[in-house]
Amino acid sequence: MQAPLVFRAILGLLMDLTIPAALGAFVLAGMRLRSEGGMNFEASGGFLKWMFWGCFLISVPSVSRWLSGEGIPGATQFTQAGATGAAYTAGIEKVTGDFVDNFLVGHVVPVVAASLVFKAVLDLSQGYSPMASIVAALFLLGVEGIWNLATGSWLQSGQYGVTDMLMNVFGYAANRISPIVGGLALSAAILNYVRHRPWAGLVASGLGFLSVTGIWALVKTFAGVNL
């Protein structure tokens, strides 16, 4: 027996709101990143928690398709919920989508990122490292691009979109993000060397980030696997 329209509409509303909610979680993760020290974030801090919820919300539609493909009873309700088209939930979806896309990402994120750049200059003038603010600003400015990739090409594999997305996330982090972080770490090492502060750790970190792809290929060769 099919569920009443009101229940299907509420379920469809929740399913449709998972994608903008994931984007909001990524933005909150970027804001928490600065308070946890930029690159040296806490393992159990708010950054990883918001990243987890963002990834979880993005994966909900794909997991629903996987459960439906495996023949789980009732799983088809999740995949068909967003097609109800109920008038009393369409307005909520539009308001939420506009708030996340236009207000939060379009206006709030650039202002917060600009304030973090200004904070980095202030930190440097007071003798502190500007890396925490710069890394947080870069993360916030890249949230929309990462979200577009995650909801676009990364989740086009149907029921196995989650696992494909995880592999693509690693490839994106290794090929795009790691070289940038490595260059920033080496730049910070040069500044510390000029100011007679510890710099060897930053050099090692920078070289490590620049060599992530090669290290991964070396590990696969040693293990004798081809992924």
Side-chain angles (χ1 to χ4, degrees):
M1 183 180 66
Q2 191 177 35
L5 177 61
V6 61
F7 296 121
R8 288 186 285 119
I10 294 174
L11 179 60
L13 174 65
L14 296 176
M15 292 293 293
D16 291 338
L17 292 183
T18 55
I19 301 302
L23 180 57
F26 288 148
V27 173
L28 291 174
M31 293 181 178
R32 289 291 302 170
L33 183 60
R34 173 60 187 88
S35 62
E36 295 179 9
M39 291 187 298
N40 299 321
F41 55 87
E42 300 175 6
S44 60
F47 172 76
L48 284 182
K49 290 179 181 178
W50 284 114
M51 286 295 295
F52 166 78
W53 282 113
C55 295
F56 173 80
L57 291 170
I58 279 183
S59 65
V60 166
S62 206
V63 172
S64 302
R65 288 194 294 269
W66 176 71
L67 292 176
S68 178
E70 294 294 326
I72 302 299
T76 55
Q77 296 290 334
F78 292 99
T79 59
Q80 299 174 357
T84 56
Y88 41 83
T89 59
I92 301 176
E93 295 177 14
K94 185 179 184 304
V95 169
T96 306
D98 289 342
F99 173 79
V100 174
D101 294 336
N102 300 326
F103 182 79
L104 184 61
V105 177
H107 293 83
V108 174
V109 166
V111 172
V112 174
S115 64
L116 288 174
V117 173
F118 188 73
K119 180 69 167 56
V121 176
L122 292 177
D123 291 340
L124 184 62
S125 65
Q126 295 178 356
Y128 298 101
S129 174
M131 290 298 296
S133 298
I134 292 177
V135 170
L138 290 174
F139 181 87
L140 283 173
L141 292 176
V143 161
E144 185 176 10
I146 297 174
W147 180 78
N148 289 333
L149 287 173
T151 56
S153 60
W154 287 358
L155 286 179
Q156 297 300 318
S157 301
Q159 61 189 30
Y160 298 108
V162 175
T163 54
D164 293 339
M165 182 185 71
L166 292 175
M167 292 301 297
N168 286 320
V169 165
F170 173 76
Y172 183 83
N175 298 322
R176 300 292 184 88
I177 303 299
S178 293
I180 297 175
V181 177
L184 291 174
L186 292 178
S187 301
I190 295 173
L191 289 176
N192 280 6
Y193 178 79
V194 173
R195 298 163 60 192
H196 303 289
R197 292 194 173 188
W199 54 270
L202 289 172
V203 171
S205 299
L207 294 176
F209 278 113
L210 293 175
S211 307
V212 168
T213 305
I215 295 173
W216 173 236
L218 190 63
V219 170
K220 289 193 297 181
T221 302
F222 286 161
V225 296
N226 185 16
L227 299 176

